Amino acid sequence: MLGQDILVVWLLYSPLHPSSYMLCKFNSLRRASVILQHLRMSMHTEAAEVLLERRGCAGVITLNRPKFLNALSLSMIRQIYPQLKKWEQDSETFLIIIKGAGGKAFCAGGDIKAISEAKKTRQSLTQDFFREEYILNNAIVGLSVHGRFRVATERSLFAMPETGIGLFPDVGGGYFLPRLQGKLGYFLALTGFRLKGRDVHRAGIATHFVDSEKLHKLEEELLTLKSPTVEDIAGVLKSYHAESKMDQDKPVIFEEHMDKINRCFSANTVEQIIENLRQDGSPFAIEQLKVISKMSPTSLKITLRQLMEGSSKTLQEVLTMEYRLTQACMEGHDFHEGVRAVLIDKDQSPKWKPANLNEVTDEDLNSYFKSLGSNDLKF
């Protein structure tokens, strides 16, 4: 999850326009993706959850649930997806910009509180939401980390804290996390460790770093490009990246620990990772042990296997796997308990079931990954 404010831009290509890079899974259009950390967000008073508008050659989508940190609802997904398809067919639309209202967050992800409540009342939201969200994410190659260009600022925040709410790093986390340097992605997924500012770029989450005060100017420059190519976008981003000197000499927060991360998180089981950390015994390792001990044991085992399998799968294959996992998690105990402890009662003391790693059997784990047959996700 990328925190603070994010501006998402897609560069659309006409079928007749040559392009050497196919990023999204659309038959009729080719596009490159630019993800920008964005300070200035539109302030809207409209009640609509999502605002859709055309600005020159751009289609602009504003997520408009500031009280809920712009968390995605099913109705928002159902408005965004068809509008994207319309703009896809519009030869005059070259850019798609997505941003959030309210000043606190771009998007807090899916509205997991609503999803949990719907499951308790036996509504179909748990199937519909994840299915349609993943189809949308595949269509646009994700809202953030799956894009070709990803620009961070000093205000950027990246974290995947799902093991702390009884879930797993979804929407393609099983694809991009194991592809980060060394075992960094495994470390981030299991611990929910936060990366901030330039470290988001250094970790490989972002491809460029730009000072936040320059983002508005960068956005305007992108919008003034005429029939832009991938090279045009790359050139603009490269120039802004080169100009940025902020935090350039600041030490990388994880660099001094990379040897420990690679060594401890290279195990094939969560139990062995924990044993590796114990044997290491450094202050860093001890801190990670404390963090992991608070996470859902089931989520920890799901997440490790998710990343191990995802390392050799395509994005679509990963999303299919993750859809299976979401449906199993909805039927289980820990997700709903995590939502209760973190978002509803806010006591921050979830009671996981099972409470210990050794109680999560291979049979239990296999049940989360099994095919849903005719109910599997299809693109």
Side-chain angles (χ1 to χ4, degrees), residues 225-240:
L225 293 174
K226 303 298 182 182
S227 303
T229 65
V230 174
E231 290 73 22
D232 294 332
I233 293 290
V236 172
L237 292 175
K238 183 178 180 180
S239 65
Y240 277 80

Side-chain angles (χ1 to χ4, degrees), residues 112 160-169 189-192 291-292 294-297 299-300 303 334-335 337-343 348-350 352:
I112 58 175
M160 301 295 285
E162 287 85 355
T163 54
I165 58 167
L167 202 58
F168 60 92
L190 294 171
T191 66
V291 171
I292 289 176
K294 299 177 182 178
M295 304 305 190
S296 159
S299 289
L300 289 171
T303 298
D334 281 6
F335 170 69
E337 172 62 9
V339 171
R340 179 207 65 76
V342 175
L343 297 177
Q348 310 301 321
S349 299
W352 306 124

